[in-house]
Amino acid sequence: MPEKMAKSIADIARIVGVSESTVSRALNDNPLIAEKTRHKIQQVAREHNFKINAKARALRTQKTNVIAVVVLFKERTERGISDPFLLDILGAIADELTLHGYDMLLSNTRTASDDWRDYYFDSKRADGLIVIGQGEHDVRIDRLATQDLPFAVWGATLPDSQYCTVGSDNKMGAYLAVTHLLNQGCEHIAFFGDIAHSEMEQRWQGYCLALQQAGKDIDESLRFATDFTSESGYSSANRMLKQQPLKVDGLFAVSDVIALGAMKKLVESEIAIPGDIAVVGFDDVAMSMFCHPSLTTIRQQTMEGGKLLVNKVLDKLAGKPARSQVLDVQLIVRESSRKAH
């Protein structure tokens, strides 16, 4: 045991011959520090029985090194953290936060109060906030925007919004999906989704644009309000078959989980996919490739989106500008939409 014990980060930095910031990052196991250097610093800290006083550091720096992530969903639906798309984007956010030495505090609308500034920022629960989804035009997001706080939203970039969003080109994605169905010979294409949500409203706009460019009228009877669950997709398909049993020959669902629920009902009703009804989803979650028939879908850049959300918040924390960003989407054609010509 060394005769003179290291009492501070500065002492360890002097012993190892690195900067204090390098020691701080290494003790937090930040992967930005080379593994060999990290292990050396951590070994010296153990030899000196040195531990960071996290509470004291937080009081001194007024930082928590935590970014809160709020998932918005409606209380009356079953959508939750287990949604495959949400799991994908949350994983991307968590990985990127770890890379920058931050922890993630995950919560939903049941956990947080209506005053997000007080709950997350003033109470020092988090340094920044990431919101997944905009709900049905949630006013709490607009309220945060007026307070110049470090946060970013996964969702739709809206014309009058004053906050930073990262999201997919929803209108283009739906346009690609419906144009594909039209090219497969579909004449009557159903829309499954809830356009009260900003992202889904943009997907409805893309659906309408594709039909209009093909010289077709918009038939409102083919729009079925559907929540973000397979159960709701199954229920909407049931309503569709009762209402228009022979008319619909194409189906665009605003999420893969909705599409998968609808396909289950179609199969149970002995409706051939894609022979009778071709189906396209949105998201490209992992199970879309492995269901039968495999699901044609619109791929979102989930990993890139998660990284961007983190970096937008960190830019705002550093006093840098953070601008909204729209990510390209891609049509992935699989078995559920390949009709024979």
Side-chain angles (χ1 to χ4, degrees):
M1 184 71 69
E3 294 183 5
K4 187 176 181 180
M5 298 298 294
K7 297 181 179 180
S8 67
I9 285 177
D11 291 338
I12 294 178
R14 189 164 48 252
I15 293 168
V16 181
V18 296
S19 68
E20 292 180 30
S21 62
T22 297
V23 173
S24 179
R25 290 191 179 99
L27 293 178
N28 282 298
D29 212 26
N30 190 320
L32 290 176
I33 305 302
E35 185 177 5
K36 184 177 179 180
T37 304
R38 254 188 297 154
H39 288 171
K40 183 177 181 181
I41 291 170
Q42 291 167 0
Q43 181 181 348
V44 170
R46 285 192 296 270
E47 290 173 353
H48 288 256
N49 199 27
F50 179 84
K51 295 180 180 179
I52 294 177
N53 187 326
K55 289 184 179 179
R57 181 182 63 184
L59 288 171
R60 183 172 63 254
T61 64
Q62 293 297 297
K63 287 186 65 178
T64 64
N65 276 1
V66 171
I67 301 297
V69 179
V70 178
V71 178
L72 288 184
F73 62 90
K74 293 181 290 186
E75 298 283 346
R76 66 178 181 272
T77 72
E78 297 178 13
R79 190 189 196 197
I81 304 302
S82 60
D83 182 288
F85 171 75
L86 293 180
L87 287 175
D88 285 347
I89 197 164
L90 288 172
I93 290 169
D95 288 344
E96 189 68 11
L97 285 173
T98 299
L99 187 64
H100 291 279
Y102 280 81
D103 292 323
M104 181 172 80
L105 170 65
L106 181 60
S107 61
N108 58 39
T109 45
R110 295 172 185 164
T111 305
S113 68
D114 285 339
D115 188 344
W116 285 354
R117 174 172 187 154
D118 176 70
Y119 189 85
Y120 292 108
F121 294 96
D122 294 345
S123 66
K124 298 300 177 187
R125 281 184 171 88
D127 299 327
L129 182 66
I130 293 172
V131 183
I132 307 298
Q134 293 150 306
E136 296 178 350
H137 307 281
D138 200 296
V139 296
R140 290 169 295 189
I141 299 175
D142 294 323
R143 193 180 305 140
L144 277 183
T146 65
Q147 299 169 337
D148 194 30
L149 293 167
F151 79 102
V153 177
W154 172 269
T157 300
L158 305 175
D160 300 324
S161 67
Q162 301 299 312
Y163 54 84
C164 174
T165 59
V166 174
S168 295
D169 192 336
N170 295 293
K171 186 175 181 178
M172 176 56 71
Y175 175 84
L176 291 173
V178 177
T179 298
H180 170 69
L181 288 170
L182 290 167
N183 290 338
Q184 296 303 301
C186 297
E187 293 287 341
H188 305 287
I189 301 170
F191 177 96
F192 281 18
D194 182 357
I195 65 172
H197 292 256
S198 299
E199 289 177 279
M200 307 314 135
E201 183 181 15
Q202 290 183 350
R203 292 174 197 180
W204 169 250
Q205 291 169 359
Y207 166 96
C208 293
L209 179 62
L211 291 177
Q212 288 165 348
Q213 288 194 357
K216 295 184 177 297
D217 295 330
I218 308 302
D219 185 349
E220 290 283 347
S221 72
L222 296 182
R223 175 161 60 88
F224 295 85
T226 311
D227 290 327
F228 296 97
T229 65
S230 292
E231 291 81 3
S232 189
Y234 184 97
S235 176
S236 287
N238 187 44
R239 284 187 284 126
M240 178 186 73
L241 292 176
K242 288 180 178 179
Q243 175 183 317
Q244 307 279 1
L246 299 176
K247 186 177 182 181
V248 174
D249 56 3
L251 193 165
F252 168 59
V254 300
S255 80
D256 287 348
V257 293
I258 291 174
L260 292 171
M263 288 169 65
K264 177 175 171 59
K265 178 59 185 176
L266 294 177
V267 170
E268 288 178 357
S269 303
E270 298 184 348
I271 304 294
I273 305 170
D276 295 324
I277 298 180
V279 181
V280 180
F282 202 111
D283 289 335
D284 194 29
V285 299
M287 67 181 71
S288 299
M289 183 186 300
F290 299 106
C291 63
H292 182 71
S294 57
L295 178 62
T296 294
T297 186
I298 300 297
R299 177 175 293 166
Q300 301 197 75
Q301 297 186 55
T302 311
M303 295 300 295
E304 181 66 16
K307 291 178 182 179
L308 283 171
L309 285 166
V310 170
N311 284 282
K312 300 289 185 186
V313 172
L314 296 184
D315 282 347
K316 294 198 76 171
L317 280 168
K320 301 175 183 177
R323 296 180 178 85
S324 295
Q325 196 159 340
V326 178
L327 299 174
D328 291 335
V329 293
Q330 181 183 3
L331 173 68
I332 306 299
V333 179
R334 299 194 180 107
E335 298 166 344
S336 69
S337 67
R338 292 195 185 107
K339 283 198 171 188
H341 293 288

